[in-house]
Amino acid sequence: MFGMLYGFSESIFRERDEDNTIRRFLSSPAGFSSLLLGKLISKIITGIVQLTILFGFGYFVFDMSLGNSIAGMAVTIAGISFASASIGLLVSSLCNTREQARSLGTLVILTLAGLGGCWWPLFIEPSWMQKLSLLAMPAWGMNSFYNFMLRGKGIAESIYYIAGLYIYGATALAAGMIIFSCWDEKRLL
């Protein structure tokens, strides 16, 4: 999922540095925010498709249990895709070059993955580490998936983690859009 971070950054800087698409887009009445939101929506859709294929493959090929709430899984998948794409937008907004975005993106990805439970199950960590993990977006998604797939819970019991995903994504999106709005013309072109 965090591959979306690279895709977002790569497309922003390629369009600015190589294709000059941003220059042409800025001369249109749509504006830069429309370009960013279009990129965000395409990354969210990409993430939803990727995770759906991943879980579908696990279900049909390996007989993996998806739990009792397919709707809960769908809402969680959409939340993870939204939060990941928003983090990609935020990281892109903090960088001036493609190389900076790659470096900062790698740091963000490794930190969030390690802290958020992508490398080991959160439930084997000590309680203080489980609380600390909630600073990382993956923890919200992992806990939601645990509730649906392992614990057999429904959306009502997982709403805390699902809401956390969407709040995390909305916060990253708002911060990224604010930072991008402060970019001057020299930085955009």
Side-chain angles (χ1 to χ4, degrees):
M1 289 312 304
F2 286 109
M4 287 191 288
L5 188 145
Y6 285 116
F8 204 100
S9 300
E10 288 291 317
S11 67
I12 289 290
F13 295 112
R14 183 188 65 246
E15 289 174 1
R16 183 191 70 185
D17 300 336
E18 297 170 15
D19 301 342
N20 292 320
T21 308
I22 290 179
R23 184 180 307 249
R24 292 191 300 272
F25 203 83
L26 289 175
S27 65
S28 74
F32 189 59
S33 61
S34 297
L35 174 71
L36 292 177
L37 290 176
K39 289 184 177 305
L40 182 78
I41 291 168
S42 72
K43 297 303 176 195
I44 291 169
I45 291 170
T46 300
I48 290 170
V49 169
Q50 287 176 345
L51 279 172
T52 302
I53 290 170
L54 178 74
F55 282 109
F57 188 83
Y59 178 77
F60 289 111
V61 175
F62 296 113
D63 197 31
M64 179 179 77
S65 171
L66 298 179
N68 299 327
S69 180
I70 298 300
M73 291 289 289
V75 171
T76 302
I77 286 171
I80 288 171
S81 299
F82 169 63
S84 297
S86 297
I87 291 169
L89 185 140
L90 176 60
V91 168
S92 298
S93 73
L94 295 170
C95 301
N96 289 320
T97 65
R98 194 179 294 186
E99 291 74 25
Q100 286 177 349
R102 287 178 186 154
S103 298
L104 182 59
T106 300
L107 178 67
V108 167
I109 289 168
L110 293 177
T111 302
L112 291 179
L115 188 60
C118 293
W119 295 339
W120 52 79
L122 291 170
F123 53 80
I124 67 168
E125 295 178 346
S127 63
W128 68 270
M129 188 73 169
Q130 289 179 24
K131 291 176 183 152
L132 183 65
S133 73
L134 294 178
L135 294 174
M137 182 277 293
W140 297 94
M142 296 301 286
N143 280 315
S144 186
F145 284 143
Y146 291 155
N147 277 351
F148 297 129
M149 298 171 70
L150 300 178
R151 298 178 186 125
K153 295 184 178 182
I155 292 179
E157 295 93 355
S158 301
I159 198 70
Y160 173 74
Y161 298 116
I162 294 169
L165 276 173
Y166 285 94
I167 291 168
Y168 206 101
T171 304
L173 174 61
M177 292 299 281
I178 289 168
I179 294 169
F180 265 126
S181 71
C182 295
W183 277 26
D184 59 2
E185 191 172 309
K186 181 189 283 187
R187 192 169 176 192
L188 282 172
L189 303 175

